[in-house]
């Protein structure tokens, strides 16, 4: 799950966080005639080895199903990133930082005997400093009582308990959920809470105040509110990648790393000549050549953008739904920032913007780590797809602006970098009102295909594990 930073126990809270990319098909290997030794036959094929895909593969094996898991990276974990300092061995999580405390999370970590601890952010929270990182100018705290505003926000959130598990919205969708965040804040006098809520809802595109408020409620959910009040879970070793390394070791040959889909033909088109049963055929380019996966069922956990689904045999109905998704660009880093005290968190706020929301592209926060002088930095590209070099240049400029705030920052070294794009798939309020999520969820099981991942829940690992568990038990395996 991603994080934010405190509500003084409800007020000042820092953040983070936070598939296989659409296949590019080469004509020479877009060939369905594959040698028998390169054919993999499984009950279920899972595309994407992030939180949802890894959980699905492990649970399906526990439930007696054979699995093939396809992942484009050389490791599992999706948005999870852990930096291992070469000098001290200290580990720093800079992607997925903490987890909501639910049964699926504790069971999944327990499955691999990974110890958990409760994360306390009070030390960081109390030392937050606000600056406009375009200039280094100090920005005053929000006006008003943040705790009271958060209580009012919680009262509104409690009206929509169904937002805690997926996007099963009523018809018609409640009007308040479709308000812009700006109008929702004005209606319920939440101005003093905007800093807290926007620090958590990082990675959104453009002006966060224009988003339908339902997306803010999916980010700052009841589970997050509980975590702020009672503590979040994290690994005792502060190495969240440990979970995925253990899962990868268990899956062994059932996971295909460094692999991308070339083409897919789904079950209504393909009949197995030996068994007479319908199958999905997934042609995959792997590190050791092209392989053909034959599977009875298909689970997709990658972000379902049209670019990512390029190799799929989408029909016009599927394409019309997925084409409505928009998304943003989000990046995370580990930075060496000598000159900033290790007990200070730097929060980027706009001196001249409404509710002081930060200007993007730009950093959201520089948060201290366990290593003196080393910080995690979270960066929003908004609607700009930036290169690693462009992110580095902008984030260094943000950090160097702190010279104007009196900090002795002369050098900025990026020790680790993660690109989490495309991030936070969303649809406009008009589409949601017209039944976008109803139509999206109606794709579950359509053409023998099921879906999980952040587009179907939220950018929260624990929430995704809960969603995926229900999907597997009640839908994928129910027949």
């Amino acid at each position: 799950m991603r994080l934010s930073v405190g509500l003084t126990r409800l007020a000042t809270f820092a953040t983070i966080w936070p598939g296989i990319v659409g296949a590019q098909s080469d004509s020479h290997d877009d060939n369905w005639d594959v040698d028998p030794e390169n054919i993999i036959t499984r009950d279920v094929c899972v595309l994407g080895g992030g939180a949802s895909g890894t959980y699905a593969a492990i649970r399906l094996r526990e439930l007696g199903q054979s699995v093939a898991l396809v992942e484009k990276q050389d490791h599992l974990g999706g948005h999870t990133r852990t930096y291992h300092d070469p000098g001290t061995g200290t580990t720093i999580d800079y992607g997925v930082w903490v987890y909501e405390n639910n049964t699926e999370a504790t069971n999944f970590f327990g499955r691999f005997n990974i110890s958990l601890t409760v994360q306390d952010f009070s030390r960081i929270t109390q030392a937050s400093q606000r600056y406009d990182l375009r200039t280094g100018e100090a920005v005053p705290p929000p006006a008003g009582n943040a705790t009271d505003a958060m209580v009012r926000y919680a009262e509104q959130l409690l009206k929509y308990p169904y937002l805690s598990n997926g996007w099963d919205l009523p018809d018609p969708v409640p009007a308040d959920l479709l308000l812009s965040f700006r109008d929702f804040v004005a209606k319920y006098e939440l101005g003093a809470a905007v800093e807290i809520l926007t620090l958590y809802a990082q990675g959104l595109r453009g002006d966060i105040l224009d988003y339908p408020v339902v997306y803010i409620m999916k980010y700052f959910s009841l589970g997050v509110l509980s975590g702020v009040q009672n503590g979040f879970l994290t690994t005792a070793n502060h190495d969240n990648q440990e979970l995925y390394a253990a899962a990868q070791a268990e899956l062994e040959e059932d996971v295909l790393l460094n692999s991308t889909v070339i083409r897919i033909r789904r079950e209504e088109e393909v009949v197995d000549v030996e068994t007479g049963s319908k199958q999905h055929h997934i042609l995959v380019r792997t590190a050791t050549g092209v392989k053909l996966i034959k599977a009875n069922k298909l689970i997709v956990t990658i972000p379902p953008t049209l670019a990512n689904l390029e190799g799929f045999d989408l029909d016009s109905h599927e394409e019309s739904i997925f084409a409505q998704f928009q998304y943003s660009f989000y990046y995370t880093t580990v930075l060496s920032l000598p000159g900033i005290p290790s007990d200070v968190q730097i929060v980027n706020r706009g001196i001249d913007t409404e509710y002081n929301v930060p200007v993007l592209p730009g950093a959201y926060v520089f948060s201290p780590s366990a290593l003196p002088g080393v910080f995690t930095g979270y960066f929003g590209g908004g609607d700009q797809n930036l290169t690693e070099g462009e992110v580095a240049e902008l984030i260094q400029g943000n950090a160097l602006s702190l010279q104007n705030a009196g900090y002795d920052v002369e050098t900025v070294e990026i020790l680790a970098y993660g690109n989490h794009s495309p991030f936070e798939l969303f649809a406009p309020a008009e589409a949601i009102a017209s039944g976008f999520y109803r139509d999206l969820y109606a794709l579950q099981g359509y053409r023998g295909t099921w879906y999980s991942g952040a587009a179907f829940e939220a950018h929260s690992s624990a929430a995704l594990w809960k969603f995926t568990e229900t999907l597997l038990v009640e839908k994928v395996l129910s027949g």
Side-chain angles (χ1 to χ4, degrees), residues 163 167 169 177-179 212-219 432:
L163 292 179
W167 286 88
L169 301 177
L177 294 182
L178 300 175
L179 288 176
V213 76
V214 66
Y215 288 105
I216 309 303
M217 288 188 166
K218 288 295 291 183
Y219 265 100
I432 300 172

Side-chain angles (χ1 to χ4, degrees), residues 234-245:
T234 191
T235 53
N237 293 333
H238 297 284
D239 182 356
N240 290 330
Q241 193 65 48
E242 183 181 4
L243 174 68
Y244 295 96

